[in-house]
Amino acid sequence: MYNDLFSIGPVTIHGYGLMIGIGFIVGLFVGDWLAKKKGIDGDHVFSLAIWILILGFLAGKLLFIITIIPDIIAGNATLGQIGNGFVVYGGIIAALPIGLIYCKRKKISFLSMGDCIAPATAVVQGFGRIGCFLAGCCWGREADPDKEPYIIFTHSDYAPNGIPLIPTQLYSSALNFLNFVLLYIIFKKEKNEGEAFACYVINYAIGRFIIECFRDDPRGSVGVLSTSQFISIFMLAFGIWFLVFVKRRGEHKKSL
């Protein structure tokens, strides 16, 4: 794959950045569309998305730095690699307090906003992983060509070139788009505010844990688990707890 798609004068269009941009725009349309169904002004979706994009990016970068500190100390990584790394979970975790603070200040239901933002986020992530595929980052382990689907990179600045690798980026993208479909179905049928948001956390945590089993790029570890697998366990527990919470909250409101 080629990350540099084409150039317009001195400006080079990169596949990763292009996919992130497309995903963000599509995600805004999805979020605005769902917000209107909830009676929420779409401008709030745009404003919150900008805050999450900026602060979430910084949080994702910070978490990446934390994961490579042991490698830097051991001399296996340099500070120069900071610009090439990002941990999605950092952005997801940061989005929770950002959303809470924004919704409280604007006097909007955090649960309703979460139900709108969650499917939109899944869309953004789906396009983002296509960008990872074009760039060659987040690559999978070496594949058995006779038994497994594979991709061979020839011009990647990140993934090993000339070796059959499991296309974890495409699998991850497919799981994110599937998550969007499932969340939209839940959004339409949900009986309690917050169900779609809780299911996003649950679905993403499960999917991410599985995908991590097939990845082979440097991304930090906690014992036998990758950093993201370790975080996924807690995110899954939080998602399940939150789903139970919103269901009980809904039942309590109905009984009043």
Side-chain angles (χ1 to χ4, degrees):
M1 292 294 110
Y2 293 87
N3 188 36
D4 297 343
L5 299 181
F6 57 89
S7 298
I8 303 176
V11 179
T12 300
I13 305 300
H14 301 286
Y16 182 80
L18 178 63
M19 288 298 106
I20 290 292
I22 292 174
F24 186 70
I25 292 172
V26 175
L28 283 178
F29 277 107
V30 171
D32 178 70
W33 174 50
L34 297 179
K36 289 177 179 176
K37 293 180 178 292
K38 289 275 191 179
I40 300 174
D41 189 336
D43 288 343
H44 288 303
V45 173
F46 179 79
S47 298
L48 180 56
I50 294 298
W51 280 110
I52 291 176
L53 178 67
I54 297 172
L55 299 180
F57 174 81
L58 294 176
K61 184 66 69 174
L62 176 61
L63 185 54
F64 172 74
I65 294 172
I66 293 173
T67 63
I68 67 171
I69 286 178
D71 291 325
I72 293 177
I73 295 175
N76 298 322
T78 65
L79 291 175
Q81 292 179 253
I82 291 176
N84 298 325
F86 181 84
V87 178
V88 174
Y89 260 132
I92 294 175
I93 294 172
L96 293 174
I98 295 170
L100 280 169
I101 293 171
Y102 182 90
C103 290
K104 184 176 182 179
R105 294 190 62 180
K106 299 298 181 179
K107 298 180 179 180
I108 304 170
S109 168
F110 170 75
L111 296 180
S112 291
M113 179 64 85
D115 287 337
C116 301
I117 293 293
T121 301
V123 170
V124 177
Q125 291 175 314
F127 280 102
R129 288 305 181 185
I130 295 176
C132 290
F133 178 70
L134 295 176
C137 61
C138 308
W139 64 89
R141 61 170 171 76
E142 187 171 351
D144 183 342
D146 296 326
K147 299 179 181 179
E148 301 170 305
Y150 64 90
I151 178 71
I152 296 178
F153 291 95
T154 57
H155 298 82
S156 175
D157 293 328
Y158 306 104
N161 291 298
I163 300 174
L165 304 173
I166 294 177
T168 48
Q169 308 95 329
L170 297 183
Y171 292 158
S172 183
S173 177
L175 284 176
N176 280 303
F177 285 127
L178 175 60
N179 195 15
F180 163 71
V181 173
L182 295 175
L183 293 175
Y184 178 64
I185 293 173
I186 294 170
F187 179 91
K188 291 199 302 181
K189 296 183 177 181
E190 71 176 359
K191 298 179 181 179
N192 305 297
E193 288 182 320
E195 287 183 4
F197 171 73
C199 288
Y200 163 80
V201 176
I202 293 171
N203 295 346
Y204 183 78
I206 294 173
R208 184 60 186 268
F209 189 97
I210 294 172
I211 287 294
E212 287 289 312
C213 295
F214 300 95
R215 282 178 57 171
D216 195 38
D217 57 311
R219 59 201 186 284
S221 63
V222 180
V224 297
L225 302 176
S226 72
T227 303
S228 292
Q229 283 180 319
F230 182 73
I231 295 175
S232 290
I233 294 173
F234 293 95
M235 291 297 287
L236 177 60
F238 169 75
I240 293 173
W241 170 83
F242 199 78
L243 182 61
V244 172
F245 166 76
V246 297
K247 285 184 177 294
R248 289 180 176 175
R249 176 176 178 272
E251 292 172 357
H252 177 70
K253 290 178 65 176
K254 291 175 184 177
S255 65
L256 295 178

